[in-house]
Amino acid sequence: MIVKDLRLATQVSELVGRFPRAWQDYQDWLRDIVGSRPVLSARYPSWQAAIIFRWRLFYFVSYVAVVVFLKQCGKKLESLTTIDYRYILQRTATLLAVAALTLCGIAATTGILIAFYYQPAAMRAHESLTAIAHDISSGSVILSLHHVAGNGLIVVSLIQLVVMFLGREFLCSWFTGWISGICLTLAAMGLSWTAIVLSWDQTSFWRFKIELSIVGSIPLIGGALREILSGGSGINSVTLQHMYALHSYVLAIAAIFLSVLHLGALILQEQHWKAAQQRFNLSKLSERFLRKSL
Amino acid sequence: MNAPELHLTPNQEVILAALRFRRRYGLEIMTAVEKSGGKQIGFNSLYPNLKKLEKKGFVKAEWGNELPEEHTGARRKYYRITGMGEQALEAKHQLLESVAHWMPAPEGV
């Protein structure tokens, strides 16, 4: 029995020996467990002594295993919190900026395709959209792509604001990215708002009427703003043309410009993570170009 | 009075007391406590407690001169109390003293 127990103890020591730090800390425990084995045999019947001995060995192994496990977890967590977590946020922000630019591109392309057939006039708008959806080849795909890209842009830019807030760093490039991100979010919302009346059906008409009256209730400037937006007191062809111009010229161009600026700022921001010689450097690049051309 | 960094659990107090006058190894501490009639400290709590005391700076461990154990290759470690450990013990004794001498403030005077 004792020989068997000692063999077990040898196996335990080999197991714990694989973790040098834990072995350094706790080997005297194992030594005393083995050292007290003769005392156990003298005091208890052999079967009881074996049970006590094995229980001590088992507890020793479990305790050391938990200590090793917790230490490993702590180390992982520490490495996550120091550098990786901010780096992950930085990469996520850049990826989201790429996604926003892609969505802008999709919305712009499909928007231009829609503009080939869309007619911004009160009696023609709804008809032309129906025609695009039904008569033009892959018209419904283009329309729904335009919707998905527009809504997706709002979602992505809102998530981006949260990500950038968590990974905030008070550098010029971050600040540019942050401000352009906020403006991009506002532009995306503005695009979706000006698109309400463009489909010219019952829901959009009445919704726009309510929202115009909300705009009108802003103190001091409300009335004037409402007239500027709707091009008069009622909602008619002029309103539609105003919204169309805002949607497809002012806000769309602003959104594309902002998303390019946003991505550019974040790419510049990423340079801080790179080693000095790997960073993007305009003068170095032009120097190399000049050397090549000469 | 009893600062939180000098806090001792009952087991830790007994272990520190066992180390007061000489360095001892784990099994020796256990035997000392048992032979003095105290409540026996099991293997399962002695070594974790020693590690905690070492981390707090109350004891210092050093390798013994004995040869490694033949089956496992494990070496013996001796524990020695440090100045801070003595302070902790002292604080505990003072606490017991002041608890014994505490008097309620006279009422209705």
Side-chain angles (χ1 to χ4, degrees):
Chain A
M1 194 70 104
I2 287 188
V3 179
K4 235 181 183 176
D5 282 356
L6 289 179
R7 207 179 303 142
L8 198 67
T10 312
Q11 283 167 358
V12 165
S13 72
E14 280 163 7
L15 181 70
V16 179
R18 290 186 195 179
F19 305 95
R21 188 68 207 278
W23 178 244
Q24 191 81 359
D25 282 352
Y26 291 106
Q27 56 176 288
D28 61 321
W29 185 352
L30 183 63
R31 186 194 169 109
D32 286 350
I33 291 175
V34 176
S36 67
R37 183 66 176 84
V39 182
L40 280 181
S41 331
R43 210 180 271 183
Y44 300 103
S46 66
W47 63 273
Q48 215 170 334
I51 289 177
I52 296 175
F53 182 76
R54 281 165 198 204
W55 161 245
R56 285 174 180 175
L57 275 185
F58 172 74
Y59 193 92
F60 169 72
V61 169
S62 325
Y63 188 87
V64 173
V66 169
V67 166
V68 168
F69 177 75
L70 287 182
K71 217 163 249 176
Q72 297 277 353
C73 283
K75 230 184 256 172
K76 272 251 156 76
L77 215 67
E78 208 170 278
S79 66
L80 261 186
T81 46
T82 48
I83 182 149
D84 285 344
Y85 131 85
R86 294 191 78 83
Y87 185 67
I88 288 167
L89 278 178
Q90 176 66 53
R91 292 298 280 182
T92 314
T94 315
L95 271 180
L96 282 172
V98 171
L101 183 59
T102 313
L103 287 173
C104 267
I106 292 173
T109 319
T110 50
I112 290 169
L113 290 177
I114 291 168
F116 279 135
Y117 294 98
Y118 177 74
Q119 295 171 336
M123 303 314 292
R124 309 286 308 150
H126 189 249
E127 268 173 41
S128 64
L129 277 176
T130 321
I132 289 170
H134 292 112
D135 302 341
I136 312 294
S137 63
S138 53
S140 60
V141 176
I142 290 170
L143 264 182
S144 56
L145 257 182
H146 194 68
H147 287 151
V148 168
N151 289 324
L153 184 61
I154 296 178
V155 172
V156 165
S157 54
L158 282 175
I159 295 174
Q160 173 75 319
L161 284 186
V162 176
V163 170
M164 283 199 73
F165 174 74
L166 292 178
R168 58 196 179 279
E169 265 174 279
F170 295 99
L171 299 169
C172 187
S173 51
W174 180 86
F175 195 68
T176 315
W178 175 244
I179 297 295
S180 62
I182 290 173
C183 292
L184 179 62
T185 313
L186 292 177
M189 286 175 172
L191 277 167
S192 132
W193 190 75
T194 49
I196 295 171
V197 87
L198 293 185
S199 61
W200 204 259
D201 50 18
Q202 287 292 329
T203 322
S204 59
F205 181 85
W206 293 109
R207 189 182 153 195
F208 193 71
K209 203 171 167 63
I210 292 167
E211 295 195 355
L212 260 190
S213 68
I214 294 174
V215 169
S217 67
I218 298 174
L220 300 177
I221 56 162
L225 192 62
R226 178 198 166 133
E227 297 222 334
I228 292 170
L229 281 174
S230 62
S233 51
I235 299 175
N236 47 35
S237 278
V238 183
T239 319
L240 196 53
Q241 277 167 17
H242 278 204
M243 287 300 126
Y244 181 69
L246 279 177
H247 182 85
S248 30
Y249 301 117
V250 182
L251 287 172
I253 291 170
I256 289 172
F257 170 74
L258 283 169
S259 54
V260 170
L261 180 68
H262 187 63
L263 180 58
L266 282 172
I267 287 175
L268 266 187
Q269 164 92 354
E270 265 198 6
Q271 304 301 314
H272 291 282
W273 292 91
K274 293 186 180 168
Q277 65 269 28
Q278 283 180 326
R279 280 184 196 168
F280 176 76
N281 191 333
L282 200 62
S283 61
K284 219 192 263 175
L285 201 71
S286 56
E287 206 174 276
R288 201 190 297 166
F289 179 74
L290 277 175
R291 209 178 296 150
K292 236 180 216 172
S293 57
L294 287 172
Chain B
M1 171 162 184
N2 205 355
E5 65 267 20
L6 291 183
H7 177 77
L8 289 176
T9 66
N11 268 350
Q12 288 172 355
E13 189 190 354
V14 173
I15 293 170
L16 272 190
L19 297 174
R20 240 172 91 196
F21 298 124
R22 50 173 300 170
R23 66 173 206 171
R24 295 181 201 270
Y25 61 92
L27 204 56
E28 197 185 343
I29 297 174
M30 248 185 293
T31 320
V33 174
E34 199 186 343
K35 295 288 181 210
S36 324
K39 184 175 150 264
Q40 197 188 350
I41 302 176
F43 273 88
N44 301 346
S45 86
L46 175 70
Y47 294 90
N49 268 326
L50 277 172
K51 198 93 261 155
K52 277 176 205 162
L53 286 173
E54 194 182 350
K55 209 175 268 176
K56 283 198 218 171
F58 292 171
V59 301
K60 231 170 63 189
E62 54 202 30
W63 295 110
N65 297 325
E66 296 91 343
L67 288 176
E69 205 271 332
E70 53 178 326
H71 298 283
T72 55
R75 294 177 65 191
R76 182 165 281 170
K77 242 184 215 174
Y78 282 88
Y79 296 89
R80 194 190 284 282
I81 194 166
T82 63
M84 230 168 98
E86 273 166 7
Q87 245 179 41
L89 262 185
E90 185 57 30
K92 189 94 186 195
H93 289 155
Q94 271 180 17
L95 172 77
L96 291 181
E97 278 297 300
S98 58
V99 166
H101 288 111
W102 185 82
M103 294 278 281
E107 268 176 68
V109 181

